[in-house]
Amino acid sequence: MDIPNGRSSHKTSTPTIGGVAIVFTFFFSMLLIYFVEDKPMITERYFLGFTFSSLLIAGMSLYDDLKQKAFYIRLLTHVVAVIIVMSFGIIIHEVNFGYNLLFVNNNSLGMIGYFITFWWIMGMINAYNFMDGLNGMAGGNAIIATVFFCIISFSQGSNFTYIVSYTLGAGVLGFLVFNFPKGKLFMGDVGSTFLGFTFAVLSIIASLYDSAHTSLLVIPLLFFHFIYDTFFTFLRRLFKGENVFQAHRTHLYQLFNRMGYKHVTVTGFYCAVAFIQGIGAIGMVTIPGLARLLVFIPYLIFQIIYSIIVILYARKKGLL
């Protein structure tokens, strides 16, 4: 049970183990893919590494939901899961921006690839966990992202990514009916960390190990508003000298809610932004090479304007 405290946005104790349903749906589908498919969709090593590490982080997060361990313990479990998935060879060893690959040092990023992979997965795990704070926020945006990722990867000839995207979306949709518009059930860390981890790793598999070779930039664009909110809040608190590891309620979406707007309004706004980012992702994959980075510019400008407005109003209302 999630018992309300000073940082909570809900007022009644709520079951917080809904993410188990999402995880179960995912692994049931992985079992079907593994035992039913005659021809492997991706190399078995990557399939097992992806599945095993996802199960591991879900299990560790479920244990944390039950025992409420300290932040550094949770962070350590994330590090372990990332190291394990990298040990199976799922690493950003080359940067796939599209049909043109940026190669460094004899067609390989070398040790830089391990560094990028580690922080990309760790960043997505924590960004998704931090953004799971309002009814429908984590679930609604996950569904939108999976729909667009499914469409994009399928259109490019994917054998694996689009099925996993569909599976994740279906599992989250089953959960969302209990979480939005009213939060009768929360997904907990077992859901949010699992989704963040899975989206991060799936983006690497889609880019380098699936037949479609979908651009590595697709997932960062689909979740750009989550990534921006997390990164902006981290830097703002760091520059103010606050303890960035201490729990708080000053993410942009939390300030938006605390200014008097309901969960439905804030979540609806973020889902609308996610949908627009999805449209941009569809357009982005038709652009060759490094020019795809230009697609991020209008979304970045929008987020900067949005963050300025929220911060100004939050200060006016004494929330900061």
Side-chain angles (χ1 to χ4, degrees):
M1 301 293 289
D2 190 329
I3 302 173
N5 55 43
R7 300 186 307 273
S8 301
S9 59
H10 59 291
K11 298 180 180 179
T12 60
S13 297
T14 306
T16 182
I17 201 171
V20 170
I22 302 171
V23 174
F24 177 84
T25 305
F26 172 80
F27 287 109
F28 181 74
S29 301
M30 292 298 102
L31 287 174
L32 286 179
I33 292 173
Y34 187 76
F35 290 107
V36 174
E37 283 291 325
D38 295 328
K39 184 179 179 181
M41 294 181 175
I42 59 173
T43 303
E44 185 176 29
R45 176 186 179 186
Y46 302 136
F47 180 91
L48 294 177
F50 177 47
T51 306
F52 175 74
S53 58
S54 298
L55 175 62
L56 178 65
I57 196 166
M60 292 188 298
S61 298
L62 175 59
Y63 178 78
D64 177 63
D65 280 333
L66 297 174
K67 299 297 183 180
Q68 295 295 307
K69 295 295 183 179
F71 173 77
Y72 71 91
I73 297 294
R74 298 199 301 272
L75 191 63
L76 179 61
T77 61
H78 300 165
V79 170
V80 170
V82 174
I83 291 175
I84 288 177
V85 76
M86 291 171 62
S87 70
F88 278 89
I90 301 177
I91 301 163
I92 304 173
H93 55 78
E94 55 191 38
V95 181
N96 179 1
F97 287 116
Y99 302 109
N100 300 324
L101 297 179
L102 174 63
F103 295 111
V104 182
N105 296 331
N106 297 322
N107 299 344
S108 174
L109 290 173
M111 293 304 297
I112 298 176
Y114 288 87
F115 178 84
I116 295 173
T117 303
F118 178 85
W119 287 110
W120 161 238
I121 302 176
M122 284 291 292
M124 273 298 291
I125 291 173
N126 286 282
Y128 219 95
N129 195 15
F130 294 151
M131 295 300 291
D132 179 27
L134 297 180
N135 298 338
M137 177 67 78
N141 284 273
I143 292 173
I144 293 171
T146 54
V147 168
F148 279 104
F149 204 36
C150 184
I151 292 171
I152 292 170
S153 57
F154 181 79
S155 66
Q156 295 188 322
S158 168
N159 291 324
F160 179 74
T161 303
Y162 84 95
I163 289 183
V164 177
S165 298
Y166 170 81
T167 297
L168 284 173
V172 175
L173 183 60
F175 157 79
L176 191 62
V177 297
F178 299 98
N179 183 249
F180 188 81
K182 293 187 177 180
K184 301 177 182 178
L185 180 67
F186 296 158
M187 68 169 60
D189 280 359
V190 64
S192 60
T193 57
F194 167 79
L195 286 175
F197 179 86
T198 303
F199 280 124
V201 177
L202 185 60
S203 69
I204 301 173
I205 292 175
S207 174
L208 299 172
Y209 307 116
D210 193 7
S211 57
H213 294 294
T214 303
S215 173
L216 187 64
L217 296 174
V218 172
I219 286 294
L221 181 54
L222 291 175
F223 288 106
F224 185 70
H225 56 334
F226 275 25
I227 296 170
Y228 179 91
D229 196 324
T230 301
F231 189 64
F232 173 83
T233 302
F234 176 84
L235 289 181
R236 183 183 59 79
R237 297 185 72 219
L238 183 67
F239 291 150
K240 287 184 64 177
E242 298 179 12
N243 181 1
V244 295
F245 299 107
Q246 185 177 10
H248 62 99
R249 291 186 63 199
T250 58
H251 278 281
L252 292 173
Y253 79 94
Q254 291 172 323
L255 293 173
F256 194 173
N257 171 237
R258 291 170 62 200
M259 285 189 294
Y261 293 92
K262 297 180 179 179
H263 286 223
V264 174
T265 302
V266 180
T267 295
F269 173 79
Y270 272 77
C271 285
V273 173
F275 183 85
I276 297 172
Q277 289 170 173
I279 298 298
I282 291 178
M284 183 182 68
V285 296
T286 64
I287 302 172
L290 290 172
R292 296 183 172 191
L293 291 171
L294 298 176
V295 178
F296 284 82
I297 294 178
Y299 296 103
L300 176 60
I301 294 173
F302 172 80
Q303 289 295 330
I304 291 174
I305 295 173
Y306 164 67
S307 59
I308 291 173
I309 293 174
V310 170
I311 293 298
L312 289 177
Y313 273 88
R315 287 176 177 170
K316 185 177 180 180
K317 288 182 173 288
L319 301 177
L320 287 175

